[in-house]
Amino acid sequence: MIRKIAAAVLTIGLAGILLVAVWPQLLGLELVPVVAHIVSLRAVAAVGALAGIVALLLVALVIPSFRRLGASLSVLLLVFIAATGAVLATRGFGSADAAATADGAGDDLTVLTWNTLGDEPGAAEIARLALETGADIVALPETTRETAVEVAVIMKREGRPMWAHTLALDEISKARSTSLLTSADLGTYSRDTSRGSTSVVPSVIVTPDDGTGPTIVAAHPVAPITGYFDDWREGLEWVKGACTGENIIVAGDFNSTIDHNSRLANDSASTIGDCVDAALTTGAAAVGTWPTDVPPLLGAPIDRVMATDDWTATSVRVVLDRDGLGSDHRPVVATLRPTG
């Protein structure tokens, strides 16, 4: 009897844990420590569940009396793997069509975001990628003013002049700087200081001087690590505010996935605030951008481009050929077209 009760408790307990891991939003746990990390790495959790099934099989081979319980637990893990795969497939693994950046319509904007881990790739490599992709907007978390200006100088020399905007919380840690480049073709922009910034690591908002272009945001909430969970949640709330309104484009290292943003949308059609995730729109939201030392399908898709419904994403790709340049983040390139 005691063995049966223990087996039932173990089975029910595992079922509850797996339910939270598959869909923590159901219980409002997506912003809770540990759960927040597990849901960031869904594919890794699925691989872990597969390893668990193998372990249960080995135990069942050695201990025949464990086979019934092992079979029940294995079924739960299989259901978890299937559900996780379904969620990831719904969000999309990208496509061959998105693998190359094609020339868009005249009003299209190309947005590039790359957390450079403190200028690690260097100005020349950042500029090279921006030029290759024809970027109109370049969001560069953890990139200093000096590097941003150097990138702008290189791009101007190549016939692609850019304005550089940087916010640095201090001059000690390069990670506490965020830079944003905007094409001169978009007109002049000025930094909007009225809405502040994320804490710990900064975010930048710029608005068009003539009032006719989109508001552009380079976002970088702090990562959800020990001691910074409150700052992380506050950072996501700040991004929600920055994404609320009309004609807004936001790019950067969000340190969060679609799961974490589920309660921060202003309506059911949005991802966070009034903005929609471009990768979700184009079927590439399951491709991991961090860290670079794991395959993209096992990584966390935390580097993102979003926009209000004034813009429609036509393509999004995670750049996979810059993994050896020093940053632990992969760049993301999105093409946005004016809606209608």
Side-chain angles (χ1 to χ4, degrees):
M1 178 62 71
I2 294 177
R3 181 180 296 177
K4 289 182 178 180
I5 293 175
V9 170
L10 181 59
T11 303
I12 294 171
L14 179 62
I17 291 171
L18 295 178
L19 175 63
V20 170
V22 168
W23 205 251
Q25 299 93 312
L26 184 66
L27 301 175
L29 299 175
E30 68 274 10
L31 300 180
V32 173
V34 180
V35 177
H37 298 110
I38 292 173
V39 79
S40 295
L41 299 165
R42 285 182 175 273
V44 173
V47 171
L50 182 60
I53 292 174
V54 173
L56 290 171
L57 175 62
L58 293 175
V59 172
L61 290 175
V62 175
I63 308 174
S65 61
F66 178 76
R67 289 175 182 174
R68 179 174 295 180
L69 175 59
S72 298
L73 299 180
S74 295
V75 168
L76 290 177
L77 291 174
L78 282 172
V79 171
F80 170 75
I81 292 170
T84 298
V87 171
L88 293 174
T90 300
R91 293 176 181 175
F93 301 108
S95 66
D97 292 337
T101 302
D103 293 333
D107 293 332
D108 286 5
L109 292 180
T110 299
V111 183
L112 165 66
T113 180
W114 194 2
N115 181 325
T116 67
L117 194 65
D119 301 336
E120 279 297 318
E125 287 292 345
I126 298 169
R128 184 162 73 92
L129 180 58
L131 290 166
E132 285 178 4
T133 58
D136 301 288
I137 297 167
V138 184
L140 298 170
E142 299 194 26
T143 305
T144 61
R145 179 178 288 104
E146 292 76 13
T147 296
V149 169
E150 189 176 350
V151 171
V153 169
I154 295 171
M155 295 184 70
K156 181 179 180 180
R157 191 165 59 232
E158 297 296 325
R160 188 77 173 173
M162 307 287 282
W163 298 107
H165 316 268
T166 300
L167 176 59
L169 298 185
D170 62 44
E171 301 298 329
I172 300 172
S173 172
K174 292 182 178 181
R176 287 168 63 81
S177 292
T178 294
S179 294
L180 174 63
L181 304 181
T182 57
S183 171
D185 293 340
L186 299 179
T188 57
Y189 272 74
S190 297
R191 192 162 66 85
D192 181 357
T193 60
S194 65
R195 286 181 278 181
S197 167
T198 47
S199 61
V200 186
V201 286
S203 299
V204 177
I205 301 178
V206 298
T207 54
D209 291 344
D210 62 7
T212 60
T215 294
I216 304 170
V217 184
H220 192 200
V222 70
I225 57 179
T226 303
Y228 290 100
F229 259 87
D230 288 342
D231 297 294
W232 176 60
R233 297 187 191 99
E234 290 171 4
L236 296 183
E237 289 287 350
W238 184 92
V239 172
K240 175 183 177 180
C243 280
T244 298
E246 298 179 350
N247 202 11
I248 303 168
I249 296 172
V250 186
D253 173 7
F254 285 67
N255 273 313
S256 64
T257 68
I258 291 168
D259 296 293
H260 303 119
N261 303 154
S262 63
R263 297 176 189 272
L264 298 171
N266 290 336
D267 56 64
S268 59
S270 302
T271 305
I272 183 169
D274 294 321
C275 290
V276 177
D277 189 293
L280 183 61
T281 301
T282 58
V287 183
T289 63
W290 175 91
T292 56
D293 55 2
V294 303
L297 296 185
L298 292 180
I302 59 176
D303 298 273
R304 305 157 70 186
V305 175
M306 297 192 190
T308 52
D309 60 9
D310 308 88
W311 299 90
T312 300
T314 59
S315 70
V316 172
R317 69 182 177 105
V318 177
V319 180
L320 304 178
D321 61 357
R322 263 69 174 185
D323 287 0
L325 296 181
S327 175
D328 57 348
H329 290 254
R330 296 185 175 99
V332 175
V333 183
T335 302
L336 304 178
R337 179 166 295 168
T339 302

